Amino acid sequence: MFYLRRRGVCRAFASRAAAFCEERIAIVETQLSIMVRLWPRSELSALDMKHNLARCYLQTGRYEEAARLFRLIYARRKVLDGANRDDTIRAAHQLAASLIELGRYDQVKSLVLPLLRQGRRFRLSYATALYMTAGASRAEVLEAVAICEELLCRDRRVLGPSHPDTLDGFREIDRACMTLEDYRKFKS
């Protein structure tokens, strides 16, 4: 009984959150157009506003628009701030997440490969792109499982077993192992 009530509350909250994001998109688009008109030389502030807009697109499932904006933001941030700045890395991660949602795994691999040293999120995105690719080889799936296992061990040790990043690692390794098991069933 409690579970059904909780599930209903979660659904209601999710629908309100989606409606909030749709309203937020209109507000941010208006703010962005005003900012560009009044302060045309404030490109970094405009990039921050575009990042907020792209996040709203991502949250409402408009992945194509989000990917387009994140690609633009990432390219401009690399030029203005440099490749190793926090905002540039954040834009690259958001671009990778939107490309994964769109199923463009080859683009994710080419984007994330030079950024693997920047942190666990990029390695997790790379592992996801490896095993989710249609026609992934057994070696690619095994590499993805190895990356996920390494990240999971470190997350469990550093963050603890109930941290959200650790739980994401568990989910990702489960998916990768299921893909490996499917590979073994159908290829042998």
Side-chain angles (χ1 to χ4, degrees), residues 28-145:
V28 173
E29 285 174 341
T30 304
Q31 288 174 334
L32 181 61
S33 67
I34 291 170
M35 178 183 283
V36 169
R37 261 184 297 155
L38 296 178
W39 299 285
R41 291 194 178 116
S42 180
E43 189 172 1
L44 290 176
S45 296
L47 285 175
D48 288 339
M49 190 73 68
K50 287 178 184 178
H51 189 93
N52 291 341
L53 181 61
R55 289 285 311 247
C56 287
Y57 286 152
L58 202 60
Q59 290 171 347
T60 56
R62 294 159 67 173
Y63 301 118
E64 192 66 46
E65 294 170 78
R68 181 183 52 78
L69 256 180
F70 281 129
R71 184 169 282 131
L72 174 115
I73 294 165
Y74 177 59
R76 288 305 297 156
R77 286 275 183 199
K78 273 182 22 180
V79 170
L80 296 173
D81 290 342
N84 294 326
R85 295 291 301 265
D86 288 343
D87 291 334
T88 308
I89 292 169
R90 192 174 304 114
H93 178 260
Q94 294 293 337
L95 175 58
S98 60
L99 291 173
I100 285 173
E101 289 296 329
L102 288 168
R104 297 181 185 161
Y105 303 115
D106 292 333
Q107 291 179 20
V108 173
K109 287 183 208 174
S110 64
L111 169 74
V112 169
L113 204 52
L115 300 169
L116 288 177
R117 290 181 290 131
Q118 297 295 338
R120 68 173 293 286
R121 289 180 178 170
F122 290 111
R123 298 213 328 253
L124 194 58
S125 296
Y126 182 70
T128 303
L130 278 176
Y131 80 83
M132 294 286 283
T133 304
S137 69
R138 185 172 188 269
E140 289 174 326
V141 176
L142 284 171
E143 183 182 355
V145 169

Side-chain angles (χ1 to χ4, degrees), residues 1-17:
M1 185 71 165
F2 173 73
Y3 174 73
L4 294 176
R5 241 183 327 181
R6 189 170 129 214
R7 197 167 80 184
V9 168
C10 288
R11 282 188 186 152
F13 179 72
S15 67
R16 273 189 248 131

